[in-house]
């Protein structure tokens, strides 16, 4: 009898190769195909040698080797290649078969593709896969969404290859319909930008204000990784600080300060703007990368524009404790804002998101994994209808405790001319969030003054709109076009 495969994979690059090795190690037979077909043979005779793989040299061969309902997973470059492969595969599949996109696709594309594939009688899954190469091989975090009928057919494979936490709970569960999985993955990536940025700001404060060496910073990050900030990104930062170049000097000092990005942080920021969610920390993190990329202009400006010279004469250990509190407080804000975005998206797109479950999916296997996510899971276990993380008692108390040190860090950064856009904007958000009154009354008055945009009054019921003829020259006609 000809051997059949449990699942087929298109795209033998970094992610695909490692993910199929993971699947095979869990007992699945996987058929593999790649656009450049020689990569199939290289894999079958290389890392895949002697294992349960079927090498396919065409889409037809790949599809013919699959058990029904057929499951074809793509791990190819996001964008047009995904649409091209969908069109190539569709004609070879039958109703009930499942197409899976495991790449970093933009969620509106996944919404569109789910509708398209379902219109052909097939099922579609768009799944976020996080954790990079190592995660893919040993256990990634997976965030699947799309056609709900597909889930029972892919659940066992996905959950067996996913990372596990708390004695075997997989970091993978069904997220929701159409683009929900890719949306959650996108927010995950945005949070990753934010976590990296605030760690970078703490690094600059330690380096430029406290004058610490890479070895000293290694000690601090190593210690922080045993406390509230216990996380993968703090752990690798500690290791990076200790890493030496061939000449024995810290490797970190040799790296050009110009950040790259693939655009998922920008997507998260755009989604927040679209949905009207104040996602300030992640937004600042994306902008900080843009500013870093303007290296040549910054070098020029550094010669022209003067500012304060960082100077520190206080208690260094106390400042380090404050810095830890600043990171912890800002991290709470970042996740609170990220969850605020998830909630707004769920409402907009009709997704039933399990917020505690999402925290659990991020607890292992992915770049933002941290002990902290366990506290978020607990907050939603305590109150599944929690409207905002800062309204949870645990997080409310933590930001209250963190804020004194956090304020001292922000003040020191501002007074010493050290840019800390994410740490400071997160604190401004906290202050805005806990303000019953904000100066938007003036803003409304200005809007009404110049554009007759109307305003609500504190002494009248909400929903009633008023206009004042501020100059005595305008008429009584109000604008409706720009309200809200
Ligand atoms: P790449 O994103 O580098 O894509 C390589 C694959 O895409 C190869 O199979 C390549 O075929 C195929 N491909 C390309 Br490139 N252009 C194509 C085209 N025009 N038509 C058809 N196929 C095309 O691989 P990756 O880094 O493994 O990532 C795969 C997906 O997973 C991406 O969406 C990525 O964003 C996502 N992701 C990556 C990571 C990571 O750490 N790398 C982490 C999480 C998610 P070829 O061999 O013939 O050129």
């Amino acid at each position: 009898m000809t051997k059949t495969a449990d699942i087929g994979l298109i795209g033998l690059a970094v992610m695909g190769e490692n993910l199929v090795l993971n699947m095979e190690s869990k007992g699945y037979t996987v058929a593999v195909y790649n656009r450049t077909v020689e990569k199939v043979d290289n894999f079958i005779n290389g890392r895949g040698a002697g294992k349960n793989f079927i090498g396919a040299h065409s889409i037809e061969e790949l599809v013919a080797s699959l058990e029904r309902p057929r499951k074809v997973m793509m791990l190819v470059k996001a964008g047009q290649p995904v649409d091209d492969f969908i069109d190539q595969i569709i004609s070879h599949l039958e109703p009930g078969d499942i197409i899976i996109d495991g790449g970093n696709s933009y969620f509106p594309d996944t919404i569109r593709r789910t509708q398209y594939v379902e219109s052909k009688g097939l099922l579609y899954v768009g799944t976020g896969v996080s954790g990079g190469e190592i995660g893919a091989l040993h256990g990634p975090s997976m965030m699947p969404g799309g056609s709900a009928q597909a889930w029972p057919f892919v659940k066992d494979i996905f959950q067996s290859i996913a990372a596990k936490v708390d004695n075997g709970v997989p970091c993978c569960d069904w997220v929701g319909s159409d683009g929900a999985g890719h949306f959650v993955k996108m927010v995950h990536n945005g949070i990753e930008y934010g976590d990296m940025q605030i760690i970078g700001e703490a690094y600059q404060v330690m380096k430029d204000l406290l004058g610490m060496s890479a070895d000293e910073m290694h000690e601090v990050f190593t210690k922080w990784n045993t406390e509230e900030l216990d996380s993968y990104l703090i752990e690798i930062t500690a290791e990076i600080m200790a890493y030496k170049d061939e000449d024995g000097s810290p490797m970190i000092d040799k790296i050009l300060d110009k950040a790259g990005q693939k655009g998922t942080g920008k997507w998260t920021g755009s989604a927040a703007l679209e949905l009207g969610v104040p996602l300030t920390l992640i937004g600042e993190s994306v902008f900080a990368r843009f500013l870093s990329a303007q290296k040549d202009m910054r070098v020029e400006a550094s010669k022209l524009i003067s500012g304060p010279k960082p100077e520190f004469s206080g208690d260094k250990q106390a400042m380090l404790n404050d810095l830890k509190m600043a990171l912890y407080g800002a991290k709470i804000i970042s996740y609170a804002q990220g969850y605020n975005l998830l909630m707004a998206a769920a409402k907009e797109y009709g997704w039933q998101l399990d917020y505690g479950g999402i925290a659990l999916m991020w607890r292992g296997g992915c770049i933002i994994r941290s002990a902290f996510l366990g506290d978020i899971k607990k907050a939603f276990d305590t109150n599944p209808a929690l409207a905002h993380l800062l309204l949870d008692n645990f997080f409310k108390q933590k930001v209250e405790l963190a804020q004194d040190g956090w304020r001292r860090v922000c003040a020191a950064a501002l007074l010493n001319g050290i840019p800390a856009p994410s740490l400071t904007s997160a604190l401004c958000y906290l202050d805005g969030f806990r303000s019953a009154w904000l100066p938007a009354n003036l803003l409304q008055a200005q809007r009404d003054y110049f554009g007759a945009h109307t305003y609500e009054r504190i002494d009248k019921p909400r929903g009633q709109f008023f206009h004042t003829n501020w100059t005595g020259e305008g008429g009584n006609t109000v604008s409706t076009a720009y309200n809200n």
Side-chain angles (χ1 to χ4, degrees):
M1 201 177 88
T2 331
K3 197 161 115 181
T4 55
D6 299 294
I7 187 165
L9 178 112
I10 298 175
L12 281 172
V14 182
M15 292 300 283
E17 204 174 281
N18 285 293
L19 205 74
V20 293
L21 285 165
N22 184 351
M23 288 175 183
E24 199 273 347
S25 75
K26 300 293 181 310
Y28 295 103
T29 300
V30 188
V32 293
Y33 171 73
N34 193 73
R35 177 184 64 163
T36 306
V37 178
E38 67 191 69
K39 289 188 187 168
V40 175
D41 296 327
N42 291 344
F43 176 75
I44 294 291
N45 299 319
R47 290 178 85 191
K51 298 188 167 143
N52 284 317
F53 290 110
I54 299 172
H57 294 94
S58 66
I59 296 280
E60 290 85 340
E61 250 183 76
L62 179 85
V63 170
S65 67
L66 300 177
E67 277 184 9
R68 287 181 169 80
R70 301 177 185 92
K71 297 168 267 309
V72 183
M73 182 165 190
M74 297 172 287
L75 262 164
V76 296
K77 192 176 165 198
Q80 194 56 42
V82 176
D83 287 306
D84 294 345
F85 273 122
I86 290 174
D87 278 333
Q88 285 181 52
I89 315 164
I90 266 183
S91 55
H92 301 287
L93 297 180
E94 290 171 356
D97 287 346
I98 302 160
I99 299 177
I100 305 158
D101 170 20
N104 260 346
S105 291
Y106 190 32
F107 78 95
D109 289 338
T110 307
I111 294 177
R112 171 178 56 77
R113 289 169 186 151
T114 305
Q115 283 164 0
Y116 175 66
V117 171
E118 286 183 349
S119 76
K120 305 283 177 192
L122 306 172
L123 303 173
Y124 194 73
V125 175
T127 182
V129 179
S130 174
E133 180 176 6
I134 302 297
L137 183 62
H138 297 296
S141 162
M142 295 181 75
M143 295 146 260
S147 314
Q149 306 96 294
W151 181 228
F153 297 103
V154 296
K155 184 178 175 184
D156 287 348
I157 300 182
F158 280 21
Q159 292 194 335
S160 71
I161 62 170
K164 309 286 185 301
V165 287
D166 298 341
N167 294 325
V169 180
C171 295
C172 170
D173 208 343
W174 189 248
V175 177
S177 59
D178 51 57
H182 274 136
F183 191 92
V184 167
K185 171 64 175 18
M186 179 192 78
V187 174
H188 160 284
N189 283 27
I191 287 175
E192 180 182 308
Y193 274 59
D195 280 357
M196 291 167 77
Q197 175 64 24
I198 56 177
I199 294 172
E201 291 175 15
Y203 158 58
Q204 189 171 2
V205 170
M206 286 190 226
K207 184 172 180 291
D208 288 353
L209 185 62
L210 303 182
M212 291 171 67
S213 68
D215 284 338
E216 285 173 309
M217 290 187 264
H218 162 74
E219 298 297 329
V220 172
F221 283 112
T222 302
K223 181 167 175 291
W224 284 357
N225 196 41
T226 62
E227 302 165 347
E228 297 95 319
L229 296 173
D230 172 359
S231 61
Y232 172 72
L233 283 168
I234 293 284
E235 181 190 327
I236 66 165
T237 304
E239 285 178 18
I240 289 167
M241 290 300 156
Y243 200 94
K244 302 286 186 286
D245 198 6
E246 281 163 5
D247 63 4
S249 64
M251 188 69 193
I252 185 68
D253 295 341
K254 301 276 179 72
I255 297 175
L256 185 72
D257 55 323
K258 193 175 167 193
Q261 57 187 311
K262 277 187 164 177
T264 44
K266 199 163 71 177
W267 291 348
T268 318
S270 302
L273 290 172
E274 278 302 319
L275 293 165
V277 175
L279 194 83
T280 58
L281 191 147
I282 294 172
E284 289 292 354
S285 308
V286 178
F287 290 137
R289 289 200 192 190
F290 292 157
L291 183 60
S292 81
Q294 297 178 344
K295 171 75 177 174
D296 296 342
M297 199 155 31
R298 288 191 289 112
V299 170
E300 192 60 28
S302 72
K303 295 174 197 152
L304 296 173
I305 310 169
S306 62
K309 192 176 176 311
E311 235 177 288
F312 185 76
S313 55
D315 179 340
K316 194 166 142 186
Q317 189 50 52
M319 185 47 125
L320 285 172
N321 288 342
D322 286 350
L323 204 50
K324 183 176 75 174
M325 286 297 107
L327 277 186
Y328 189 56
K331 192 173 164 107
I332 293 173
I333 298 299
S334 183
Y335 283 72
Q337 293 182 342
Y339 268 86
N340 202 200
L341 178 61
L342 289 176
M343 288 175 193
K347 203 166 156 199
E348 175 72 15
Y349 299 107
W351 298 326
Q352 305 289 321
L353 300 182
D354 170 358
Y355 301 108
I358 290 168
L360 195 64
M361 275 183 255
W362 293 344
R363 270 206 55 200
C366 65
I367 309 297
I368 63 169
R369 63 183 180 259
S370 67
F372 177 88
L373 284 157
D375 297 322
I376 296 184
K377 169 89 171 74
K378 274 187 221 148
F380 285 105
D381 283 348
T382 308
N383 178 9
L386 186 66
H388 197 287
L389 264 191
L390 291 179
L391 300 177
D392 170 73
N393 203 36
F394 175 84
F395 287 109
K396 172 197 102 77
Q397 286 176 4
K398 292 296 178 188
V399 285
E400 281 172 354
L401 277 174
Q403 64 178 286
D404 286 352
W406 184 7
R407 287 181 197 283
R408 284 190 289 270
V409 166
C410 291
L414 292 169
L415 287 170
N416 284 282
I418 294 172
S422 288
L423 291 176
T424 50
S425 74
L427 187 53
C428 290
Y429 174 86
L430 174 67
D431 286 335
F433 188 74
R434 57 176 201 85
S435 295
W437 177 86
L438 286 171
N441 51 341
L442 174 58
L443 208 142
Q444 285 296 81
Q446 291 165 335
R447 294 178 70 240
D448 190 55
Y449 187 108
F450 64 68
H453 293 304
T454 74
Y455 52 85
E456 292 168 281
R457 293 179 60 105
I458 57 171
D459 53 359
K460 298 282 186 217
R462 295 269 181 96
Q464 279 186 31
F465 290 87
F466 299 87
H467 168 60
T468 293
N469 187 349
W470 297 90
T471 59
E473 289 180 6
N476 290 324
T477 311
V478 297
S479 163
T480 50
Y482 305 106
N483 269 342
N484 298 318

